[in-house]
Amino acid sequence: MGQVLTDSFNRAIEYVRLSVTDRCDLRCTYCLPPGYRDFSEPEAWLTFDEIERVIRAFTELGVRRVRLTGGEPLTRQQLPELAARLHALPQLEDLSLSTNGMRLKKYAHALRQAGVQRVNISLDSLQAERFASITGGGKLNKVLAGLAAANQAGMSPVKINMVVMKGVNDDEVEDMVQFCIEQGCTLRFIETMPMGDTGRSASGHYLSLEEVRRRLAERFELLPAVMSGGGPARYVRVAGTDLRIGFITPISQHFCASCNRVRLAADGTLYLCLGQDDKFELRPVLRQGIGHEELKDFIRAAIVRKPEKHEFQEQPRKIIRFMSMTGG
Ligand code: SAM
């Protein structure tokens, strides 16, 4: 058996969400304020060499899966090159991508060639005007072209992530199910989280996914299902179709006891929990010339400090950083 990286609650940490930039070409209402530009400068970001070093260390310690995220990861120059370098790490079993899809048409093929097997695309509406309004100017046709390109490139599974907001897009959940049946994608519904002022104001539109599931059950026959991938979603399958629907419920039913992940931000900050401030700065130690074994010790020591759980419900005002800074 290979190495296992465990925290002090005996959880095996085998998944890193790797943010390659905090920049984004969209301004989703629940994520970034309109016109927001206060991003970190590229000099602050880990270089590809530094990222490869850190991920190599993680994989030698027991991490098996990495997801490229951001910000919008496809805004980082030469992303396929980084993907290929990570894919070549011998212990890494799964390399995936989360994207808003706007630039996916251009990059899907190169990323697939570089070893990105699967992709999650954020898509909160199938109505062009509403999509533009939720995303601060996003173009639905570009995302749909990106989705088609991912399918053509052979990425699989392609998952659609929809943040469900009461009074904003909750009237579209049935349409989204139908769309994903037609497209052959997996669909995941996500509850709005109170991250940053944007997430907190969007919490006014919070809708428990229990309600969404009840509504869908009136129209579709939902069967229990499993989906590999180790994520926090609980899945059902729509009878008579191949569609799997996942429900990601950080608020109504948190899944911290089985949390298997940490997040590495673009500037090298290692966040141990999405909903807590605990973090370790990797960039200074990398740039001071830390050795490989020392780097592994540093990571081990950080993982021991992973908090037991988030407190989105108990302390909804706690997290001031936006999701795009952490690496969503
Ligand atoms: N730009 C990429 C994308 O769109 O998938 C990756 C980063 S984005 C921050 C990752 C995911 O976080 C998206 O699916 C987005 O909808 C979700 N997200 C951002 N802020 C959120 C919030 N306050 N509550 C729930 N989900 C949020």
Side-chain angles (χ1 to χ4, degrees):
M1 207 179 108
Q3 287 274 339
V4 180
L5 183 61
T6 39
D7 72 0
S8 56
F9 300 96
N10 216 20
R11 295 173 295 198
I13 306 305
E14 50 92 32
Y15 181 29
V16 173
R17 293 183 69 104
L18 168 65
S19 172
V20 292
T21 174
D22 58 342
R23 296 183 182 215
C24 191
D25 45 1
L26 296 182
R27 296 289 178 276
C28 297
T29 46
Y30 48 76
C31 191
L32 286 175
Y36 180 83
R37 301 204 64 81
D38 196 14
F39 296 113
S40 63
E41 290 305 318
E43 304 80 65
W45 301 342
L46 296 190
T47 63
F48 285 0
D49 285 345
E50 289 168 335
I51 293 174
E52 187 184 339
R53 265 200 80 189
V54 173
I55 300 298
R56 180 184 299 278
F58 265 111
T59 57
E60 288 177 7
L61 288 166
V63 161
R64 296 290 166 262
R65 301 188 300 122
V66 168
R67 175 173 295 277
L68 302 166
T69 182
E72 173 47 44
L74 299 186
T75 64
R76 176 111 187 217
Q77 302 287 309
Q78 318 290 346
L79 190 69
E81 182 201 324
L82 176 67
R85 288 170 69 166
L86 299 181
H87 180 63
L89 294 172
Q91 278 117 328
L92 191 73
E93 292 169 8
D94 179 42
L95 182 62
S96 58
L97 169 76
S98 281
T99 174
N100 61 32
M102 292 273 290
R103 300 173 190 224
L104 191 55
K105 183 176 178 200
K106 183 165 171 201
Y107 291 111
H109 186 70
L111 285 166
R112 180 69 193 90
Q113 296 282 98
V116 177
Q117 288 144 12
R118 49 203 196 90
V119 63
N120 290 359
I121 302 175
S122 302
L123 182 58
D124 295 339
S125 175
L126 291 168
Q127 300 173 19
E129 267 181 45
R130 182 184 281 179
F131 181 78
S133 139
I134 294 173
T135 57
K139 302 260 185 294
L140 179 64
N141 59 349
K142 284 198 176 179
V143 180
L144 298 182
L147 167 62
N151 280 327
Q152 270 160 21
M155 287 178 166
S156 174
V158 175
K159 295 181 187 167
I160 299 294
N161 284 344
M162 176 184 188
V163 177
V164 184
M165 292 165 281
K166 201 186 193 94
V168 176
N169 63 354
D170 60 322
D171 57 340
E172 282 191 69
V173 293
E174 289 87 354
D175 291 352
M176 201 60 94
V177 168
Q178 203 53 52
F179 174 78
C180 289
I181 291 174
E182 286 157 19
Q183 295 288 322
C185 314
T186 298
L187 172 59
R188 284 129 47 97
F189 295 118
I190 306 176
E191 289 177 344
T192 319
M193 288 176 266
M195 296 202 58
D197 287 339
T198 45
R200 271 186 283 284
S201 25
S203 291
H205 296 289
Y206 168 76
L207 181 62
S208 161
L209 292 183
E210 257 325 293
E211 203 173 314
V212 172
R213 189 205 274 252
R214 263 198 305 275
R215 238 176 67 191
L216 290 176
E218 286 169 16
R219 172 128 161 232
F220 305 95
E221 188 186 349
L222 305 178
L223 307 170
V226 280
M227 179 103 191
S228 63
R234 280 188 304 271
Y235 281 95
V236 296
R237 186 169 62 79
V238 177
T241 77
D242 289 330
L243 177 67
R244 285 180 174 72
I245 305 177
F247 296 85
I248 304 181
T249 56
I251 309 298
S252 63
Q253 261 186 302
H254 74 72
F255 30 78
C256 303
S258 58
C259 185
N260 60 353
R261 62 198 57 197
V262 289
R263 292 176 158 82
L264 183 62
D267 65 357
T269 307
L270 182 66
Y271 287 104
L272 299 169
C273 171
L274 191 58
Q276 298 284 4
D277 285 325
D278 305 65
K279 60 183 176 188
F280 283 78
E281 304 291 348
L282 281 169
R283 191 184 55 192
V285 295
L286 288 168
R287 297 197 179 166
Q288 282 153 18
I290 192 170
H292 187 60
E293 290 307 316
E294 271 180 293
L295 176 60
K296 287 186 358 191
D297 290 343
F298 187 96
I299 292 173
R300 266 195 214 95
I303 295 297
V304 168
R305 307 290 296 275
K306 183 172 163 63
E308 185 179 10
K309 57 188 177 71
H310 68 65
E311 295 167 306
F312 284 139
Q313 266 186 310
E314 300 88 329
Q315 295 199 56
R317 307 209 63 75
K318 182 163 177 164
I319 296 300
I320 49 163
R321 59 181 192 269
F322 303 119
M323 185 76 112
S324 68
M325 290 176 186
T326 317

